[in-house]
Amino acid sequence: MKTNDLILQTVTKVCAFVIILFSISIFLGGHYSPGGGFVGGLMTSCAIVLLLLAYDLKTVAALLPIDYKIMIACGLLISASTVAGSWLFHAPLMTHAYSYFNLPILGKTSLHTAVLFDLGVYLVVIGVTMTIIQTIGESE
Amino acid sequence: MSLLHLAILSPFLLAIAVPILYKHIRSVHTGWFVLGLPVILFTYFFRFLSATQNGETVAESFAWIPSLNVSFDVYVDGLGLLFALLITGIGSLVVLYSIFYLQKEKERLGSFYTFLLLFMGAMLGVVLSDNLIVLYTFWEFTSLSSFLLIGYWHHRERSRYGAQKSMLITVLGGLAMLGGFVLLYIMGGTFSIRELIGQADSLFEHPLFTPALLLVLLGAFTKSAQFPFHIWLPDAMEAPTPVSAYLHSATMVKAGIYLVARMSPIFAESGVWLWLIASFGIATLFWGSFSAVKQTDLKGILAFSTVSQLGLIMSLLGVGAAALHYESIGENVYMVATVAAVFHLINHATFKGTLFMVVGIIDHETGTRDIRKLGGLMAFMPITFTIAVIGAFSMAGLPPFNGFLSKEMFFTGMVNVLNMDIFNLDAWGILFPVLAWIGSIFTFVYSMIVVFKVFGGKHQPDKLERTPHEAPLGMLISPVILASLVIIFGIFPNLLSGTLIEPAVASIIPSLLDGEFHVHIGFWHGFTPELFMTIGVIAIGILLYLTVPRWKKVYYALPEAWSLNRLYDKTIELAERASIWVTRLFMTGFIRSYLVYIFLFFIISLGFTLYWQDAFKLDTDNTAPIRMYELILAIIIAIGSVAILFVKSRLTSIILLGAVGYTVSLFYVLFRAPDLALTQLIIETISVALFLLCFYHLPKINLKEERMTFKLNNALISLGVGVIIALIALSAHSNKLFDSIASFYLENSYKEAGGKNVVNVILVDFRGLDTMFEITVLGIAAIGIYSLIKLRMTRGREADENK
């Protein structure tokens, strides 16, 4: 049932990457402006779904050779170790550390361990969404 | 955390490393890596002997869950140390033996040693914990590792059956025991065994005392395979022989005995305790030894023999409790029962360990354990024969082996019952020595069967899979060590009396030991009733052994349908059938039926609560004015939702649903919640994409169910859900029981968590644990969907399970 998707495909080529970049931006900025790992992850999956709609499962799998199930595991591991990491410093679970640093190019930036936790959330959300969509899409 | 804690946890730590070692170093048998640990632990625990000998105890504490009164307190006293030495000592020998028993080319050694180490750590935890909850945790861990080890050859149907049976019975008992522990906590206000012992007098008066006692005993009886719960032990023999020797003879099945001994200071005042333990023990002794003679599988004989010996120790502990009711401590004759229990516990571990290893050798070298096929092996395996004779004669209670000494003391303990005048023992006490004596006769008979049917008689080479020959040296080391212990303990029993037995007895009946107390075990007591009982056992035993074929008919007097095993099987079958029936009742396989259940429950429970609590309230004070935009959006949503009902094509309804969702997100924009709006928008996008993907798989719309009642039902349910939600939303707005928490977050999110976006700070910091578990649930759901869809085409693989 594939028809000529030229317009969709051309637009997707540009859009998908803009969406992914934007999603990473709102993921990183989540602590200060709207966004965060959950929304960021969903938005990245949206971009991938867009790619799926414009092309097909095989092309996208070749483009992004990722096993999303492993991605879920990695995300969970990152989040869980951030949660447990505070034990090493004799602090209660989920205690975050943050401070301001002067980084080259970026200037004064706030770095926060919550971002690590959020990175886990980000990865899990992408992994879950894409695992579900891929599995259902593949089973014809 | 002390060294003692580390000693208990070290097997768990090594268990993590074992699979890695197994995977990467295949040229060396994994057992060699494991062997060091039990040996080191044995030496470590050996050093405690000098302390417990002087009546001292060692206690270490580690706060685990202080808010729930659960702390990982470990405590080494005579009893705990005795078990710890058994666990690590027999453990070392069993690991050494298993290195030669399990071939590294064929077996999954990684799993085997992981399970074995799990068990070792759990068992050490059971016997050294002071906290009941910690004890229970380790207790269930032993059941779990036993389950895994019985099912080690999981391709065999019998292994799986045996594993499930042992799991069901022991875990059921374990749960009962947990109930008993909780009752003890309610009575005493502490989970610490030592503190509970301190309050033993006040506990005795409490109305919950007897229920707690019964529940704890249920745990002990199931674990220690007491009649009628013994049926799991013979089926557990499907495990590899080293496991049978270790778990199902020397250590794990003695956890129940440990529990009874440990709890004695709390419960032993009670007559129920004495009667239950003594009578169940003696019944088990009789039934186990009687059934053992019937068996044709060598491991079956040993299994029933273990059952009966456990009953013997149990009954001794029960009778030993009587000592509490008699004052004269110095010469208290009833103490002998408790001493005998501890002594026999050690002896049983040595001779039964020996015999199991001998059976393993026979199985390994001939390929069968069936006594009808075996015979005449004396000439082929002389060393094994010698070991077997030592083990079996000790089990039968013949001098000069250690079994003789403890058997004599057992008789003394049972004969003493005749002199007791408490709890109606004067009326029924005569049964104890009689049953003990009959049980011992059967013990003698099956001990002889083990030796002479296998090693004596005629060799039948045509029935054997391979030509028998002596076992390799490595396999003989462990049984030879154990057999020498049988002899050493037999000739020098007082090696044990001061070092192990006295401290252990002191832990079982501490109240009696203020004064001097010494155990001396001697061979010759003069012409006592016990001696004549032993002579009788030997004489009648020999007679019965020679005439076994003539009286074996009695075993078939009871029809098979009446046996306990049939009862168990029927119960399981019935439970399975009932659960299938109940499940089929409501599991139709259609998601729409499930949604109906969920929504109906939702309407009924929430509606009822709303009505019952009189919670509905409408309060328009604190509401914002309705603006034009909101009205427009609401109308769009209403039109969209109603339109979905009348649409004929599914594609259109998906798009309409999406439109409704996007409109909802506009609401968030109006109410200045950018995070929510963003999330809602993306969620809508993704769910529309998902719907489109599922499009193929969905049944055709509106084809099957055109009936009016179906539509009416759905209309009623949806109307109900809508009304309930609206009522709850309105009431929630009107009832303000607490101040909003929002101000707390607004104030603290920057101060405490360094973030300006409150929503995100809540997600990753304030309520980060919620997020952690939510993403875990998401992950599980994704894996679940993956396996549901990917694995459904692999049906019909059930036949492979038994390959």
Side-chain angles (χ1 to χ4, degrees), chain B residues 368-533:
Chain B
T368 182
R369 301 191 307 248
D370 193 327
I371 51 170
R372 288 166 300 189
K373 295 181 186 166
L374 293 164
L377 293 183
M378 201 190 301
F380 299 96
M381 15 176 85
I383 305 177
T384 314
F385 168 66
T386 320
I387 303 168
V389 166
I390 295 171
F393 280 19
S394 177
M395 180 159 75
L398 295 177
F401 306 111
N402 56 4
F404 166 72
L405 298 169
S406 44
K407 187 61 77 64
E408 289 275 282
M409 289 165 81
F410 166 60
F411 284 149
T412 316
M414 289 300 142
V415 171
N416 280 340
V417 176
L418 296 178
N419 304 326
M420 292 182 190
D421 49 6
I422 43 170
F423 308 128
N424 291 330
L425 273 174
D426 39 356
W428 293 96
I430 183 74
L431 276 177
F432 286 97
V434 171
L435 279 175
W437 188 68
I438 300 175
S440 299
I441 294 174
F442 284 109
T443 306
F444 183 88
V445 174
Y446 70 69
S447 301
M448 294 307 113
I449 290 178
V450 168
V451 176
F452 293 107
K453 289 273 190 235
V454 175
F455 294 97
K458 228 190 276 160
H459 180 45
Q460 304 160 299
D462 46 318
K463 287 186 182 170
L464 299 180
E465 283 176 23
R466 36 196 116 118
T467 345
H469 54 83
E470 187 58 85
L473 184 67
M475 255 174 126
L476 288 170
I477 299 174
S478 297
V480 164
I481 293 176
L482 282 175
S484 349
L485 286 178
V486 170
I487 301 179
I488 293 171
F489 293 157
I491 299 177
F492 308 106
N494 292 313
L495 279 180
L496 294 173
S497 54
T499 49
L500 279 172
I501 299 178
E502 278 172 25
V505 172
S507 323
I508 301 174
I509 24 182
S511 57
L512 289 180
L513 297 175
D514 305 331
E516 281 292 293
F517 162 68
H518 284 296
V519 175
H520 182 82
I521 302 167
F523 258 101
W524 183 250
H525 303 281
F527 293 99
T528 50
E530 295 88 293
L531 185 68
F532 293 113
M533 279 167 92

Side-chain angles (χ1 to χ4, degrees), chain B residues 108 115 118 143-153 163 167:
Chain B
R108 297 171 300 123
F115 302 158
L118 277 185
S143 294
L144 191 69
S145 47
S146 156
F147 167 80
L148 290 168
L149 283 165
I150 298 170
Y152 173 67
W153 285 311
M167 181 82 160

Side-chain angles (χ1 to χ4, degrees), chain A residues 1 30-36 39 42-43 46 49 69 79 94 96 98 100 112 117-118 128 133 136 138-139, chain B residues 675 678-679 682-683 686 689 693 696-697 750-757 760 764-765 768 775 778 786 789-790:
Chain A
M1 62 172 274
H31 235 54
Y32 293 96
S33 50
V39 182
L42 277 178
M43 201 178 270
C46 260
V49 170
K69 297 187 293 301
S79 287
M94 290 292 319
H96 286 303
Y98 53 92
Y100 288 95
H112 206 304
F117 179 76
D118 231 8
V128 168
I133 288 179
I136 297 179
E138 270 174 7
S139 75
Chain B
D675 270 283
L678 196 58
T679 315
I682 300 177
I683 290 272
I686 291 206
L693 275 169
Y696 292 111
H697 306 288
Y750 192 67
K751 234 176 5 192
E752 298 276 330
K756 284 180 184 150
N757 178 1
N760 203 49
V764 298
D765 201 327
I775 58 174
L778 272 182
Y786 178 81
I789 290 179
K790 287 282 169 185

